Amino acid sequence: MTRLATPPHHGGLLVVQPLRHRRCAACRRGPLSLLVLEDGAPRCLQCADLGHLVFLRRGDTALTRRSREESTLSAVVVRFNRRKARYERQGVLVEEAALARAEARCLADAEARRRRRARDAKLRAAQDVRFTRAFAAEILRLFPGCPAERALAIATHASVRGSGRVGRSAAGRSLAEGAVVSAVVAGVRHVDTPYDQLLMSGVPRYEARRRIAGTVEAVLRTWEAGVEVRLTG
C-alpha cells in the first residue's frame, strides 16, 4: 500500500481530503472523501472514531470559531494544492449539536446587528433633519426674502448625506456663510434660470453660467432685501 505523507500540523486532529481514490486500511471502505492518516495509512472517519462529526466548509470565520468552541471533539480538514505544493485548509469537522448552537449564536448576533443598524439609521435620519432645518434657517437669515419652502428645498438638496454637495462639506456642516451662499446660488441657477436648458443645448458650462449670471444676481438681491421669513414647526 502506498503510504501518504502526513501534512504539517501544529496540534489537534487533522483530516485530509485526498486527491486520489483511497480506501480505508482497516475496513477497506472507499473511495474516501475524507480520511485520517495514522502512521501514513489512511483510515475512514468511522474507523478513526470521527464518523459522527459534520463538515463545515471554510468561509464563515465566526461560525467556524464558535462551532469549535461548542464542540468537544473537532478536526481541521485540509487538501493538498499541487500548484502551490502545500496543504490548504478546507474547513472543520464538528459535532452536529455544536454546529446548531453556533448557528444560533451567529443568528442572534446578526439580529442584534440588524437592530443596531436600524437604530443608527434612525439616529442619522434625525440628525439629517435637524441639520437640514438649521441650514434652511441660515439661508433665511442671509436671504430673508427667500420663500421658506425654497429655503428648505435648497437645504435638503445641498445636505443629502453622501452626495458630496456643498452642504456635506466641512464648511457646509459648520454652516459657513460661503457654503450656504454657494448652495443658494446653485439652487437659483437650476430653478430660476434657463441654465439646465443651455447645457442640454450644448452651451459650454462657463458660457452658460455667464449668460445667466445677471438673473442669479437679481434673485439674490431681491431675497437679501426681502422681509424675513421664518420656518415653523
Side-chain angles (χ1 to χ4, degrees), residues 1 23 37 47 49 52 54 61-62 71 73 76 83 86-87 95-96 121 132 148 154-156 163 200 222 232:
M1 179 188 304
R23 292 186 175 277
L37 292 175
C47 291
D49 295 328
H52 64 295
V54 295
T61 303
S71 190
L73 183 65
V76 174
R83 183 174 61 83
R86 70 186 185 196
Y87 280 92
E95 296 163 346
E96 189 169 4
T132 298
I154 292 169
T156 300
S163 65
M200 290 297 294
T222 299
T232 60

Side-chain angles (χ1 to χ4, degrees), residues 83-117:
R83 183 174 61 83
K84 297 180 180 179
R86 70 186 185 196
Y87 280 92
E88 296 180 337
R89 184 169 176 154
Q90 303 301 307
V92 294
L93 291 174
V94 294
E95 296 163 346
E96 189 169 4
L99 177 57
R101 290 193 295 271
E103 288 174 334
R105 289 172 61 186
C106 288
L107 285 174
D109 278 358
E111 176 61 19
R113 288 193 297 271
R114 186 196 65 77
R115 291 196 300 268
R116 184 167 60 249
R117 287 195 298 269

Side-chain angles (χ1 to χ4, degrees), residues 118-170:
R119 289 195 302 270
D120 290 346
K122 187 175 181 180
L123 177 62
R124 287 193 299 271
Q127 291 171 339
D128 288 347
V129 168
R130 289 195 296 271
F131 175 68
T132 298
R133 292 194 64 81
F135 202 99
E138 185 63 12
I139 291 174
L140 292 176
R141 186 185 71 81
L142 296 173
F143 300 96
C146 176
E149 64 275 12
R150 281 296 303 279
L152 187 58
I154 292 169
T156 300
H157 180 79
S159 60
V160 172
R161 187 181 292 267
S163 65
R165 295 169 186 154
V166 66
R168 301 311 303 185
S169 66

